Amino acid sequence: MESASTMEPLTECEGFDQLGLAPAVLATVQTLGYETPTPIQCQCIPHLLDGRDLLGQAQTGTGKTAAFALPLISRVDLGAGPKPQVLVLTPTRELALQVAEAFQTYARNLRGFHVLPLYGGSSFGLQARALERGVHVIVGTPGRVMDHLRRGTLDLAGLRALVLDEADEMLDMGFAEDIDWIFEQTPAERQVALFSATMPEAIRRVAHAHLRDPVEVRLLAATETVDTIDQYHCLVTRFHKLDVLTRVLEVETFDAMLVFVRTKIQTLEVAEKLAAHGFNAEPLNGDMTQSERERTVERLKRGRLDILVATDVAARGLDLERLSLVVNYDIPTDP
C-alpha cells in the first residue's frame, strides 16, 4: 500500500443511475426497488468501477455487500470464459451464503452468469464439479478456498478482483496466514477491496501488503449504542443459561424478541427448548434457504411468531419494528 488516496466523502448521491453501473445491473437494482444509494455505496461504487483498490471501514447493515457486488458484477466479462473473475473471502459459511445470494440476485439480468459459494461442511465433489462447469464469482471461506487451490480444482489465473469481507473477523479467527497464501495464488494485476468494521494495526498490515494506492472510505457509526436502549447483563454458568432465560421471559414484557447464539446447532437447540417451555420460537441460520429465512422473518413481523433464535450473521440487516428485546445468549466475539 503506497498511500491512501484522499477524497471528499460523498455521503449522498441522487440515484443508482448516476453511479455508472452496467445497464443490466442497473435494471436489476431498479426492479428490486432500490431508490437511493446508501453512503457507503455512494463512496465505493464509482472507485470500484474505475478499478481502484479500496480500504473500507463500515459497520454491518450499511449496504456494504451491494457496495462491492454491484460494481464488480458490472465489470465481469461474460465473454472471457468460465474462469473465476471475482473472489470474495468471508469469515463464515453463513456470510458466504448470504453474499453469494446477493451476487446471484444482482446479476439476474446477466445471461450465463454463475456464482458459487465454497465452504466447509458441503460436498467437495459437488463444488469441484461446479467449478469445472465454470463460474464467474467465488464467495468462500479461506479454508475451503485453499483446499480447492491445493487440489487444483480452483484456478485463479484469470482473477480480476479480490474482496476481503469482514477482514477483522477473519484475522480474529486466525486466517491471517491463509489470506496471505491465497493472495500469492492470484495474479499481480488484480483489484483488491478490503472491508472491516474496525481498523486495528493487523488490518493496516494486510492493507499495506496487498493493496496498491487504495482509496480509503470510512463510514463510522455516530454512536455505538442508541440512547433509548437499556442494557443489562447477568452472570450465569453455561448449564443454567436456559433456566435463567426462561425465567426472564416469564417476567419480562416483550413484543418480539431476538436471541443471539454462536452456532447454527444452538439456534435449533435453544428454539426447541423455548418451544417446549411454551414460547413461540423458531431458529434463523445460514443453513436455511433465503426463502425460508424470509418466511420466518415475515411471520415475526406479522405477529405469528414471537422469538427468533439466530446466529449474528443470519440476522444481519433485519428491519423489525416489533422488536423490543434482544438477548445475547452467548457473549458476542465482536464488540
Side-chain angles (χ1 to χ4, degrees):
M1 183 171 74
E2 297 169 14
S3 63
S5 298
T6 57
M7 58 171 286
E8 286 299 315
L10 178 63
T11 55
E12 294 183 8
C13 41
E14 293 182 5
F16 284 95
D17 57 345
Q18 307 296 314
L19 296 176
L21 295 171
V25 177
L26 178 61
T28 299
V29 169
Q30 293 170 336
T31 301
L32 292 170
Y34 294 0
E35 295 179 356
T36 305
T38 67
I40 192 74
Q41 292 161 5
C42 290
Q43 293 189 51
C44 292
I45 289 176
H47 293 298
L48 292 177
L49 283 171
D50 285 342
R52 294 292 303 276
D53 282 9
L54 188 142
L55 178 62
Q57 182 174 0
Q59 305 292 326
T60 297
T62 55
K64 170 169 54 76
T65 301
F68 63 78
L70 294 174
L72 294 182
I73 293 170
S74 294
R75 286 170 58 83
V76 166
D77 182 1
L78 294 177
K83 297 293 185 183
Q85 297 178 35
V86 177
L87 170 63
V88 182
L89 293 177
T90 67
T92 64
R93 59 178 290 179
E94 290 96 341
L95 190 57
L97 286 165
Q98 184 176 311
V99 172
E101 288 173 358
F103 268 90
Q104 192 65 57
T105 298
Y106 299 146
R108 62 172 56 164
N109 286 326
L110 296 180
R111 189 183 299 274
F113 174 90
H114 295 289
V115 58
L116 178 67
L118 296 179
Y119 52 86
S122 182
S123 168
F124 187 94
L126 287 176
Q127 293 175 358
R129 286 194 290 276
L131 288 168
E132 189 175 358
R133 288 192 294 269
V135 297
H136 300 95
V137 175
I138 299 291
V139 185
T141 54
R144 182 50 66 99
V145 169
M146 290 174 69
D147 287 344
H148 281 283
L149 286 169
R150 285 174 171 147
R151 298 193 199 184
T153 49
L154 174 59
D155 179 9
L156 297 181
L159 195 74
R160 300 183 176 191
L162 196 159
V163 179
L164 300 181
D165 193 12
E166 305 209 355
D168 48 355
E169 187 171 340
M170 277 194 280
L171 295 191
D172 287 344
M173 295 170 69
F175 287 131
E177 292 183 2
D178 296 347
I179 290 170
D180 288 339
W181 187 87
I182 291 171
F183 265 102
E184 291 173 3
Q185 317 310 310
T186 64
E189 299 298 320
R190 38 81 182 112
Q191 182 180 12
V192 180
L194 185 156
F195 290 92
S196 182
T198 60
M199 205 58 65
E201 184 57 35
I203 295 293
R204 292 283 177 184
R205 284 197 297 271
V206 172
H208 182 80
H210 300 297
L211 276 68
R212 292 173 301 174
D213 189 25
V215 174
E216 189 162 352
V217 171
R218 284 184 159 197
L219 192 71
L220 302 179
T223 178
E224 289 295 323
T225 303
V226 179
D227 293 336
T228 54
I229 295 178
D230 295 321
Q231 298 191 81
Y232 306 92
H233 74 275
C234 182
L235 297 177
V236 59
T237 65
R238 179 161 53 98
F239 302 104
H240 294 108
K241 276 186 181 182
L242 187 70
D243 290 338
V244 173
L245 176 59
T246 54
R247 288 177 190 175
V248 169
L249 299 187
E250 286 166 0
V251 299
E252 181 75 19
T253 301
F254 66 93
D255 191 4
M257 173 183 172
L258 266 178
V259 179
F260 283 117
V261 296
R262 276 213 191 100
T263 66
K264 294 181 295 295
I265 292 176
Q266 281 179 295
T267 64
L268 301 172
E269 292 177 348
V270 174
E272 287 176 359
K273 289 174 180 176
L274 288 175
H277 281 75
F279 296 103
N280 191 1
E282 290 186 14
L284 186 76
N285 61 56
D287 279 352
M288 301 165 65
T289 64
Q290 182 68 23
S291 60
E292 286 173 337
R293 292 205 294 266
E294 289 174 355
R295 285 196 298 270
T296 300
V297 172
E298 190 62 27
R299 283 199 295 276
L300 190 78
K301 288 182 177 180
R302 293 180 178 273
R304 297 172 184 166
L305 178 64
D306 297 325
I307 302 173
L308 277 186
V309 185
T311 52
D312 61 347
V313 174
R316 285 175 183 175
L318 294 184
D319 182 11
L320 302 170
E321 290 187 6
R322 288 185 62 216
L323 194 64
S324 61
L325 180 62
V326 176
V327 172
N328 286 305
Y329 192 81
D330 296 317
I331 296 175
T333 55
D334 185 344

